[in-house]
């Protein structure tokens, strides 16, 4: 066989090896979603604090939390609520936080819960806000 024939075989085998390596990768990327499909929105966009008050009996801060369910399906939310003296965070201050769990939030429904914060000093006005939120889709067990 001539050298030119061997080069043809080498090129052909290289192309075949490339297809065997990169074709599955291309199929995976193609099948993983529609081009231009938007990523799911962050769970923190579904949550807001609607009230922040001091309980007169215990002097603890109480934050009213509202969650709007996602239209694509039911799921559970875990919300981290933060309690500070002002809306602007102080980098040297570590604010108090509380977790609120809202299981089984139905699609497009609005659920309410309360987060119980720390005992608040007299004469100071608290600020309550959402620090973080997580959403997990699907049915959630009760309790």
């Amino acid at each position: 066989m001539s050298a030119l024939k061997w080069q043809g075989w080498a090129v052909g085998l290289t192309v075949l090896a490339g297809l065997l390596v990169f074709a599955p990768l291309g199929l995976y990327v193609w099948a993983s979603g529609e081009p231009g499909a938007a990523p799911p929105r962050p769970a923190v966009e579904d949550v807001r604090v609607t009230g922040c008050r001091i309980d007169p009996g215990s002097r603890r801060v109480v934050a009213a939390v509202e969650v709007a369910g996602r239209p694509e399906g039911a799921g559970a939310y875990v919300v981290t609520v933060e309690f500070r003296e002002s809306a602007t965070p102080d980098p040297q201050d570590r604010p108090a936080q509380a977790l609120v769990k809202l299981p089984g939030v139905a699609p497009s429904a609005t659920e309410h819960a309360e987060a119980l914060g720390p005992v608040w000093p007299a004469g100071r006005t608290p600020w309550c806000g959402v620090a973080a939120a997580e959403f997990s889709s699907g049915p959630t067990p009760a309790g």
Side-chain angles (χ1 to χ4, degrees):
M1 264 191 184
S2 70
L4 190 56
K5 203 170 200 179
W6 280 108
Q7 286 178 346
W9 275 100
V11 169
L13 288 175
T14 303
V15 169
L16 181 62
L19 284 174
L20 289 174
V21 170
F22 292 109
L25 179 63
L27 285 173
Y28 172 76
V29 170
W30 175 74
S32 65
E34 295 179 28
R41 72 175 186 257
V44 76
E45 292 182 13
D46 302 336
V47 182
R48 68 186 186 118
V49 171
T50 58
C52 186
R53 65 180 175 84
I54 298 174
D55 180 65
S58 67
R59 298 281 316 146
R60 294 180 76 141
V61 182
V62 180
V65 178
E66 181 180 276
V67 174
R70 295 178 173 222
E72 61 264 19
Y77 286 85
V78 176
V79 181
T80 304
V81 178
E82 202 167 73
F83 305 94
R84 299 191 303 247
E85 288 193 30
S86 70
T88 307
D90 181 1
Q92 297 179 352
D93 190 24
R94 184 172 173 169
Q97 295 182 337
L99 290 178
V100 178
K101 297 179 182 180
L102 293 110
V105 178
S108 302
T110 302
E111 297 290 335
H112 301 274
E114 287 187 338
L116 188 60
V119 174
W120 205 255
R124 295 192 178 168
T125 304
W127 177 89
C128 307
V130 177
E134 294 180 19
F135 174 77
S136 55
S137 62
T140 55

